[in-house]
């Protein structure tokens, strides 16, 4: 059974950098999957941040692209998210998710982490 | 970006009755190479991550009760709960995976009347 677990600071100061890691267990990160970050502001809907393949290929949401970096560490079976220049608007629950690649661009989220709340405040 | 719009934003349904949620995409999510609609439905209960219910617009994920069904093609889709149970109280989201950025609908909250 694949499991994902987010970790990182729960409080980040404005203008700082938010850094989170998603540890993957139950299967290798070097498989036919895209590894995504999705966030949910308090009481709001879901926003896809971006994704990475084990090769290092990435796709980002244009709305956040200038501030976001997603990386993968195959030796630790984990991937990471960095969001720079954060403001209160970046306060959210951050989820990592597996996008199983079934071919023909068919990538759907079948496993999710439990999520971690990150608050941006001084 | 493909914009996903759900309706209604919330609905209250009596136990055992039918709940219907609509989702409209700003452009077709039908992938011509395999004739599949790249549209998923997720259920999210408070304090939990989303759970995949339906993919390809109408295929239930393994383990999902058959009271959940999806339909539609192209740009218009529907999630139906045929007989609402207490454990179905949740927010439901449609999501397209036809292109990046992957986008979600704003969500529909289902409650018991």
């Amino acid at each position: 059974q694949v499991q994902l677990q987010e970790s990182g600071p729960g409080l980040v100061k404005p203008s700082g950098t938010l850094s989170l890691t998603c540890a993957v267990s139950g299967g290798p990160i070097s498989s036919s999957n895209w590894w995504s970050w999705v966030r949910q502001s308090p009481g709001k809907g879901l926003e896809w941040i971006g994704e990475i393949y084990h090769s290092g290929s990435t796709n980002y949401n244009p709305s956040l692209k200038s501030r976001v970096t997603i990386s993968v560490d195959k030796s630790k079976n984990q991937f990471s998210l960095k969001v720079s220049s954060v403001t209160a608007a970046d306060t959210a629950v951050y989820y990592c998710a597996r996008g199983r690649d079934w071919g023909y661009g068919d990538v759907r989220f079948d496993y999710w982490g439990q999520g971690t709340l990150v608050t941006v405040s001084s | 970006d493909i914009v996903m719009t759900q309706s209604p934003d919330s609905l209250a349904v009596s136990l055992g009755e039918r709940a219907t949620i609509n989702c409209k995409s700003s452009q077709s999510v039908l992938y011509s190479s395999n004739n599949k609609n790249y549209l998923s439905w997720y259920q999210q209960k408070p304090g939990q991550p989303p759970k995949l219910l339906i993919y390809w617009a109408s295929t239930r994920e393994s383990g999902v009760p058959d009271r959940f069904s999806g339909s539609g093609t192209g740009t218009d889709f529907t999630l139906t709960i045929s007989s609402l149970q207490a454990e179905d109280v949740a927010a439901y989201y449609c999501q397209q995976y036809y292109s990046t950025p992957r986008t979600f609908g704003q969500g529909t909250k289902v409650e018991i009347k």
Side-chain angles (χ1 to χ4, degrees), chain A residues 5-113:
Chain A
Q5 181 65 57
E6 306 90 348
S7 62
L11 181 64
V12 181
K13 293 187 185 307
S15 78
T17 297
L18 178 161
S19 297
L20 296 173
T21 296
C22 180
V24 179
S25 59
I29 204 166
S30 298
S31 51
S32 299
N33 301 305
W34 286 86
W35 303 95
S36 273
W37 289 97
V38 177
R39 71 181 184 180
Q40 186 169 34
S41 300
K44 300 291 181 61
L46 299 162
E47 179 181 32
W48 179 78
I49 299 170
E51 64 189 7
I52 191 164
Y53 202 67
H54 62 80
S55 62
S57 295
T58 54
N59 294 305
Y60 295 124
N61 192 324
S63 67
L64 295 165
K65 185 174 183 177
S66 64
R67 299 192 294 124
V68 169
T69 302
I70 297 176
S71 59
V72 65
D73 186 335
K74 289 182 282 187
S75 67
K76 294 182 178 180
N77 222 47
Q78 63 186 34
F79 63 107
S80 299
L81 169 71
K82 291 187 185 298
V83 183
S84 62
S85 305
V86 297
T87 69
D90 294 306
T91 293
V93 174
Y94 286 76
Y95 294 100
C96 55
R98 185 182 86 164
R100 178 74 182 268
D101 189 344
W102 295 89
Y104 291 106
D106 184 355
V107 177
R108 47 194 191 258
F109 303 132
D110 55 358
Y111 288 98
W112 295 69

Side-chain angles (χ1 to χ4, degrees), chain A residues 108, chain B residues 39 41 51-71 79-82:
Chain A
R108 47 194 191 258
Chain B
L39 187 285
W41 288 96
K51 173 188 173 183
L52 179 63
L53 294 178
I54 302 276
Y55 59 92
W56 291 341
S58 61
T59 301
R60 272 189 302 276
E61 177 75 335
S62 176
V64 173
D66 61 6
R67 64 180 179 274
F68 292 93
S69 63
S71 63
L79 174 70
T80 301
I81 310 172
S82 60

